[in-house]
Amino acid sequence: MASVTYGFLNCKTYYLVLLPLAFGLEVPVIPWALDASFGLSSRISNYFARYWEVLFYHIHRMGHVRQVYSDAHKFHHHLHDCTAFDAHIFGSGAPEEWLILMADIMLAACLGCVPASLSGHVLSVSWINKWDFHSRNDKPAGHADNFHADHHALHMVNFGFSPPFDLFMKTLPKQVSAAVEFKGFLVQRIEDGKDVRLQFTPTDEVPQDGTSPVRRGRGGNKLLHSD
């Protein structure tokens, strides 16, 4: 019940502000349905969001800086776990989505356009964030499906969308700080002086005797690289 009550105050009040200001706005149903059906907005959004995970990681981590946290992100972490009730659009809520709300109000009240948060694509993103990204699933401790839920429980780890980038940035929980299983791969962080890389080894190739898999060269199986 705490999640429902707090989630309403944190996220659902977004529409209590937006919808009265958009009262009388006519929604062009046919263009809306065509866009939702053929995914034009989705394709444009996905093209420009190719590096969103990297940007999100740094934006999110800055929100946890002590001087910023109390004013920008603390409200989102009021509960020490997360449920679908606590998420809105991009998984956050008040006060972080203030700028998005102002943009929607400008579109609706000033320009007479349908607010972006009511488009088929953004509603889909919001729905996925609720049940997939911002809910705790019935999986073993540390499972990738609970990556963001564990961030709410542990607070100063798991800033990104999934384990690999946090492994690269050394912000995973201590028990998985050297290697992590992710989508059928054992992902290892390998440092060689100033060179850092991630090596992905299919789990069926990992030796069963507990030894580490053979490390491949610079041109091998890696995701991120920093000199």
Side-chain angles (χ1 to χ4, degrees), residues 121-201:
H121 171 60
V122 176
L123 287 173
S124 174
V125 170
S126 177
W127 176 254
I128 292 170
N129 268 319
K130 287 174 173 59
W131 64 264
D132 185 41
F133 187 65
H134 213 269
S135 298
R136 182 170 292 282
N137 296 315
D138 186 18
K139 296 291 178 63
H143 194 279
D145 284 359
N146 288 321
F147 188 74
H148 188 70
D150 287 341
H151 165 71
H152 276 261
L154 302 174
H155 197 64
M156 292 303 293
V157 297
N158 297 8
F159 293 104
F161 291 158
S162 57
F165 196 75
D166 275 88
L167 177 63
F168 185 77
M169 299 297 291
K170 301 178 73 172
T171 50
L172 284 180
K174 291 182 179 180
Q175 62 268 29
V176 291
S177 59
V180 63
E181 286 192 25
F182 179 68
K183 293 188 176 181
F185 291 88
L186 176 68
V187 189
Q188 293 176 289
R189 186 180 193 276
I190 300 173
E191 292 189 44
D192 184 9
K194 294 183 179 180
D195 182 59
V196 181
R197 67 184 184 273
L198 293 185
Q199 176 174 290
F200 286 67
T201 305

Side-chain angles (χ1 to χ4, degrees), residues 2-19:
S3 293
V4 176
T5 303
Y6 176 74
F8 178 82
L9 293 173
N10 183 31
C11 301
K12 308 311 181 280
T13 46
Y14 184 101
Y15 288 112
L16 289 182
V17 175
L18 175 63
L19 293 181

